[in-house]
């Protein structure tokens, strides 16, 4: 795609996407409200910690950021304040405005690694900015702006002629390449923080991120890997060593973020839909191996199906394979969060799913 078209797509994302994420007051369906109440009852502890019951009851900046975003969407200030207080006290780093990525209840100290996770910081920042607008609270806006500035200051690098978004402040820069996580390009959150902290670098990060997603296509279905190596010397990309070469639990979020941001026509949405819709699968697989084209022997969760339904409908496709919601009784934190985020995204795109 020509550079000027890429830039127009990114400009549209950073203007229209920000408007969608910041407008507040989006109508919330009764089923969505019930889903949020269920999420709180199962995964939000009284002190404001979001519980990842699929990973030893840990907590993450990701979970706190998603929880804050959902609380703002549902106009739940009480839950928002509880989560924000816990996040400040337990995850905020001492040297900047970013957050440690993981808190473990079985360790002392509970935060042994102060490295951040960029997607968590982006969602925390965007939730604060949205909350500041919804509740006319300048302190929230100021806090979200400070986080956004540090994301731009500490986590943007140049590699192979592109500006890339590091997954964390440490551990992802190497002599020959930089490792990125395509699903950390949470475009709706990027649109929100770019509105609060105007800087041309956001536009470059957004447009170069789209270029990466168009290039990062591997295996039979042309899918993005969970972790991607970006060469420092040329424009080549490859699945990053040290992680399975899979389209899996991270990368399934890529089509959600793109569709939410109004970019459902991107190939990084089209390819997952083709994979999930492939009738050679007995069920929608949880992952695909991009080296061997083998797929998971077990099914994807309801969150993935709802992402597929949302993306398909935004592309004007009716797809029975992403059928009605199943019972939420057995969903873990991650699957449940994806369901609620897909519903939030659909509501902000004016769609019911």
């Amino acid at each position: 795609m020509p550079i000027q078209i890429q830039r127009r797509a990114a400009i549209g994302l950073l203007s229209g996407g920000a408007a969608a994420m910041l407008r507040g007051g989006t109508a919330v369906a009764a089923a969505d409200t019930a889903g949020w109440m269920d999420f709180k009852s199962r995964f939000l502890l009284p002190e404001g910690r979001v519980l990842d019951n699929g990973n030893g009851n840990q907590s993450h900046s990701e979970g706190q950021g998603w929880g804050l975003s959902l609380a703002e969407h549902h106009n739940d200030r009480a839950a928002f304040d509880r989560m924000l207080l816990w996040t400040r006290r337990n995850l905020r780093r001492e040297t900047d405005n970013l957050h440690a990525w993981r808190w473990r209840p079985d360790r002392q100290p509970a935060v042994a690694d102060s490295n951040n996770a960029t997607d968590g910081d982006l969602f925390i920042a965007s939730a604060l900015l949205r909350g500041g607008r919804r509740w006319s609270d300048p302190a929230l806006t100021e806090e979200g702006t400070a986080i956004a500035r540090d994301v731009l200051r500490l986590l943007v690098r140049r590699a192979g002629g592109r500006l890339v978004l590091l997954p964390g402040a440490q551990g992802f820069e190497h002599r020959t390449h930089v490792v990125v996580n395509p699903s950390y390009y949470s475009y709706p959150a990027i649109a929100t923080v770019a509105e609060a902290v105007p800087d041309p670098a956001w536009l470059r990060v957004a447009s170069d991120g789209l270029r990466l997603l168009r290039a990062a296509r591997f295996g039979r279905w042309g899918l993005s890997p969970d972790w991607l190596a970006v060469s420092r010397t040329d424009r080549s990309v490859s699945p990053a060593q040290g992680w399975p070469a899979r389209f899996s639990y991270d990368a399934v979020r890529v089509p959600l973020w793109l569709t939410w941001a109004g970019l459902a026509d991107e190939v990084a949405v089209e390819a997952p839909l083709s994979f999930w819709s492939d009738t050679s699968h007995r069920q929608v697989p949880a992952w695909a191996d991009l080296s061997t084209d083998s797929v998971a022997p077990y099914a994807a969760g309801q969150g993935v199906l709802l992402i597929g339904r949302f993306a398909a409908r935004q592309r004007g496709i009716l797809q029975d394979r992403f059928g009605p919601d199943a019972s939420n009784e057995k969903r873990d934190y991650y699957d449940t969060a994806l369901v609620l985020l897909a519903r939030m995204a659909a509501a902000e795109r004016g769609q019911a799913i």
Side-chain angles (χ1 to χ4, degrees):
M1 181 177 288
I3 295 296
Q4 61 268 28
I5 296 177
Q6 295 175 17
R7 287 182 62 81
R8 284 201 295 271
I11 291 169
L13 183 155
L14 295 184
S15 56
M21 289 289 283
L22 280 172
R23 64 175 174 248
T26 303
V28 179
D32 294 352
T33 299
W36 170 237
M37 298 300 290
D38 174 73
F39 182 91
K40 289 197 298 179
S41 70
R42 293 198 291 143
F43 307 115
L44 180 57
L45 299 183
E47 64 268 28
R49 181 166 79 89
V50 176
L51 189 74
D52 183 354
N53 66 327
N55 282 292
N57 292 332
Q58 300 175 12
S59 292
H60 309 273
S61 59
E62 164 209 280
Q64 299 303 122
W66 288 358
L68 288 164
S69 298
L70 290 165
E72 186 280 327
H73 176 65
H74 290 275
N75 197 20
D76 190 341
R77 183 67 191 265
F80 186 98
D81 285 346
R82 284 161 53 202
M83 284 184 280
L84 181 56
L85 182 61
W86 188 90
T87 303
R88 286 173 179 155
R89 287 178 172 175
N90 294 277
L91 298 182
R92 179 61 64 84
R93 297 180 357 154
E94 294 181 357
T95 56
D96 49 51
N97 294 290
L98 305 180
H99 299 81
W101 74 281
R102 180 170 64 174
W103 188 97
R104 301 181 63 174
D106 59 338
R107 298 294 176 90
Q108 193 60 245
V111 175
D113 179 4
S114 64
N115 203 14
N116 76 301
T118 301
D119 63 331
D121 282 311
L122 283 170
F123 268 98
I124 292 170
S126 66
L128 286 161
L129 293 165
R130 289 170 56 113
R133 182 182 178 98
R134 178 187 287 276
W135 298 306
S136 301
D137 188 335
L140 295 181
T141 302
E142 182 179 354
E143 187 173 353
T145 300
I147 298 168
R149 286 190 179 126
D150 276 355
V151 169
L152 198 59
R153 179 172 66 91
L154 299 171
L155 299 166
V156 174
R157 296 288 189 275
R158 185 176 297 276
R162 300 185 177 105
L163 284 190
V164 299
L165 192 63
L166 294 179
Q170 291 89 38
F172 299 99
E173 297 179 89
H174 305 280
R175 183 180 61 82
T176 59
H177 66 282
V178 173
V179 173
V180 301
N181 186 314
S183 74
Y184 283 22
Y185 283 77
S186 43
Y187 278 104
I190 291 172
T192 302
V193 299
E195 175 116 337
V197 182
D199 190 298
W202 289 121
L203 177 61
R204 183 69 184 274
V205 167
S207 59
D208 285 357
L210 292 177
R211 291 164 62 199
L212 280 177
L213 288 172
R214 292 171 189 143
R217 304 187 63 212
F218 303 97
R220 172 181 171 184
W221 296 277
L223 298 166
S224 299
D226 291 337
W227 294 91
L228 182 70
V230 180
S231 171
R232 287 187 179 276
T233 57
D234 57 29
R235 295 183 178 273
S236 64
V237 295
S238 59
Q241 295 184 359
W243 291 271
R246 287 180 178 176
F247 170 83
S248 183
Y249 295 101
D250 279 8
V252 296
R253 299 177 296 193
V254 170
L256 173 58
W257 307 149
L258 290 172
T259 305
W260 192 344
L263 298 171
D265 290 337
E266 285 290 324
V267 69
V269 177
E270 179 184 6
L273 284 177
S274 296
F275 167 62
W276 292 328
S277 304
D278 191 327
T279 55
S280 68
H281 307 317
R282 182 175 56 85
Q283 56 194 356
V284 176
W287 49 259
D289 188 300
L290 305 180
S291 298
T292 66
D293 292 330
S294 60
V295 301
Y298 47 88
Q302 188 64 37
V304 169
L305 299 186
L306 212 60
I307 292 169
R309 189 193 311 176
F310 170 48
R313 290 184 178 178
Q314 286 290 303
R315 290 174 63 91
I317 302 169
L318 296 178
Q319 177 52 260
D320 293 338
R321 197 165 177 81
F322 308 128
D325 290 358
S327 168
N328 62 10
E329 293 178 0
K330 295 184 179 180
R331 291 185 200 144
D332 62 12
Y333 145 78
Y334 190 71
D335 193 26
T336 305
L338 290 183
V339 166
L340 294 187
L341 289 167
R343 288 177 175 166
M344 176 179 171
E348 295 193 345
R349 301 301 307 176
Q351 178 186 35
I353 56 173

